[in-house]
Amino acid sequence: MKKLLGIAVALALFAAMMVTAAFAEEQTVINMFYGTDPSGALDSLIAAFEEAYPQYKVNWIEAPANQDTSHDMLVTSLSAGESIYDVFSCNVIWPAEFSQAGYCLAIDRFIEEDDLDLSEYSQGYIDAYTFQGKMWGMPWYGNVGQLYYRSDVITTPPATWDELIDMCKEYVGQGGSTTGYVMQAAQYEGLVCNALEFIGSYGGTVVDGDGNITVNNDGVREALTMMKKIVDSGIMPANFNAFMENECNNMFASGEALFMRNWPGAYATVANPESSKVADNVGVTVLPSGSDGSAATLGGWGWMINRNSENPKAAWDFVKFVTGPEGQKINALVASQPPTYLPLYDDEEVLAANPHFANLRESLEAAVARPVSPIYTAISEIMQINVSKVLLGQMTVEEAVVAMEQQMNESLAEYNK
Ligand code: GLC
């Protein structure tokens, strides 16, 4: 009897192994490159996707938090023709560069085959992923800079940058705060996004519609002067130039900072009692104005397929799911990321979870796009270096403006050769 039982168990085990092996063989692995996600939304998305498509297994290869580093990692791999990533998230500023360099697959045929209705997506974001008449990625979430403030301390948020400084001076110390303002001021793309908001709020420009360099103007001078004034007024932490998005979130969530500039997704961290000491005291509004009103930089992410992926159809199924109604809803609920799939702005669950989405659809439409230029990466790097030097007192505003103009024109001339 014991022997028979032993044989039966062995047979059952063998059968189970065979089923698992067969299933594993049938499953296609999708290698996906995406940054850190403290909200856990991507885990939920992967789980929902794998449930809807049991034939696939997603392998998440984590990208660095600094998006410039992930950009460079992608460029190194994709320019070498590697296929280690099937799909990757793509910043709204990369499509021109990536499609021109042949890194990503045009997705028009997939869109047609699956009859996707692109008119349900924000047109601005569809345009951002279109280059030379083809679609190179699907928009995922939109982004726009916002001002977060401690609603238990601040009753009326500041209307201007000067008011922000004054309020910090007056209220730091209240509600457990130790500092006034945090923003993305490390030397990376986030600093460019912040600088463009100051520049926009003083009516300045960096590049005109024809791609000419216009950075030498008074709006840029006034904007950099205000940024330096904020640093000099002592309302930011001493190590302000080490701050990217997560550092800002942490300082605000710990109750130390009164104000924070961040993207809508920060809400998932700072308004969540599990990750924030001030979850019930989070106010969100538009950024302060300069002499020309308030300006917010347009950000956002989409998904692209590696041109050399060995599983383009599987990659597409992932992209379609994540950027589709279900995927975007999960991302809006769990990560507070603003949908680019517009019907979700009428979804009651999405709105209830995200009070800071009020007027966001309009804000996304009014936001300032980063300079549209084939040499955007160079322009950004030039801004990162020179703006940092101004903030650290290593260069005057005038020197920085002149240097930026000269270096940007040199890059352009090099490109046009
Ligand atoms: C956000 C934006 C992105 C921007 C980045 C800067 O992720 O969506 O467009 O480049 O922040 O750090």
Side-chain angles (χ1 to χ4, degrees):
M1 187 62 196
K2 246 189 182 169
K3 214 175 183 183
L4 272 181
L5 203 65
I7 291 172
V9 169
L11 275 175
L13 272 177
F14 181 69
M17 268 166 59
M18 293 303 289
V19 170
T20 319
F23 197 62
E25 239 170 57
E26 276 170 24
Q27 271 188 318
T28 303
V29 174
I30 301 172
N31 290 306
M32 176 268 275
F33 186 71
Y34 182 73
T36 46
D37 179 16
S39 76
L42 204 65
D43 286 322
S44 311
L45 274 168
I46 294 171
F49 170 71
E50 288 179 345
E51 202 185 319
Y53 292 83
Q55 68 272 38
Y56 300 134
K57 178 96 204 111
V58 176
N59 174 32
W60 177 0
I61 304 164
E62 217 170 273
N66 181 336
Q67 58 138 81
D68 296 347
T69 321
S70 355
H71 169 271
D72 295 350
M73 278 174 74
L74 277 172
V75 168
T76 305
S77 173
L78 298 170
S79 62
E82 288 177 0
S83 58
I84 46 176
Y85 314 123
D86 294 303
V87 269
F88 50 90
S89 58
C90 167
N91 198 328
V92 71
I93 49 181
W94 301 344
E97 177 193 355
F98 279 34
S99 56
Q100 239 174 347
Y103 297 160
C104 48
L105 204 61
I107 57 172
D108 305 78
R109 75 182 157 98
F110 292 124
I111 292 174
E112 238 166 70
E113 270 163 31
D114 284 337
D115 217 5
L116 281 200
D117 183 2
L118 295 185
S119 71
E120 307 231 271
Y121 287 78
S122 150
Q123 189 57 43
Y125 282 97
I126 294 291
D127 291 347
Y129 289 91
T130 307
F131 192 71
Q132 293 179 338
K134 286 187 181 161
M135 283 280 285
W136 302 96
M138 276 298 287
W140 188 29
Y141 63 85
N143 247 344
V144 71
Q146 296 186 303
L147 182 74
Y148 288 73
Y149 63 96
R150 282 284 296 282
S151 55
D152 53 334
V153 179
I154 306 295
T155 35
T156 312
T160 63
W161 294 112
D162 277 310
E163 268 182 49
L164 172 85
I165 298 178
D166 292 344
M167 283 190 184
C168 291
K169 288 188 174 159
E170 188 172 348
Y171 293 106
V172 168
Q174 292 196 22
S177 61
T178 58
T179 196
Y181 186 52
V182 286
M183 61 179 219
Q184 294 75 52
Q187 191 177 313
Y188 79 119
E189 183 63 29
L191 174 62
V192 175
C193 295
N194 282 249
L196 287 171
E197 286 164 349
F198 282 96
I199 292 173
S201 76
Y202 285 96
T205 57
V206 175
V207 171
D208 71 12
D210 297 325
N212 302 310
I213 305 301
T214 56
V215 69
N216 188 345
N217 62 72
D218 285 342
V220 173
R221 280 187 187 82
E222 283 173 59
L224 296 191
T225 304
M226 178 48 82
M227 291 177 84
K228 178 72 168 122
K229 185 172 175 186
I230 289 179
V231 172
D232 290 344
S233 66
I235 64 167
M236 295 209 286
N239 63 338
F240 71 91
N241 64 325
F243 277 51
M244 297 195 290
E245 283 80 0
N246 287 343
E247 288 77 16
C248 293
N249 271 339
N250 294 342
M251 195 138 202
F252 192 87
S254 69
E256 286 175 84
L258 280 183
F259 295 99
M260 161 174 83
R261 182 274 178 205
N262 218 328
W263 308 100
Y267 194 82
T269 307
V270 299
N272 175 355
E274 278 170 31
S275 49
S276 171
K277 284 192 190 158
V278 296
D280 293 332
N281 301 317
V282 180
V284 186
T285 187
V286 292
L287 289 164
S289 296
S291 55
D292 202 44
S294 162
T297 297
L298 187 85
W301 290 81
W303 285 91
M304 281 185 168
I305 302 173
N306 181 351
R307 187 177 214 140
N308 291 312
S309 165
E310 281 153 25
N311 298 301
K313 173 71 171 80
W316 166 249
D317 284 337
F318 178 79
V319 171
K320 184 176 63 167
F321 181 86
V322 170
T323 62
E326 197 182 334
Q328 289 210 22
K329 183 163 178 176
I330 295 175
N331 205 33
L333 291 179
V334 186
S336 291
Q337 301 288 17
T340 55
Y341 178 76
L342 298 176
L344 289 174
Y345 286 100
D346 298 323
D347 184 304
E348 282 177 11
E349 253 182 293
V350 167
L351 296 181
N354 294 291
H356 66 311
F357 277 10
N359 307 323
L360 203 67
R361 208 176 140 166
E362 290 75 19
S363 304
L364 285 173
E365 268 150 38
V368 186
R370 272 162 277 178
V372 178
S373 164
I375 59 154
Y376 178 72
T377 311
I379 288 180
S380 166
E381 209 178 303
I382 291 166
M383 285 184 73
Q384 291 177 27
I385 295 169
N386 290 289
V387 174
S388 288
K389 286 191 174 165
V390 169
L391 299 187
L392 297 175
Q394 296 165 355
M395 214 180 199
T396 64
V397 167
E398 192 53 37
E399 283 165 351
V401 168
V402 171
M404 287 197 287
E405 180 181 41
Q406 191 191 336
Q407 292 163 11
M408 287 178 189
N409 275 324
E410 276 168 16
S411 292
L412 198 58
E414 186 62 32
Y415 177 81
N416 287 331
K417 248 189 204 166

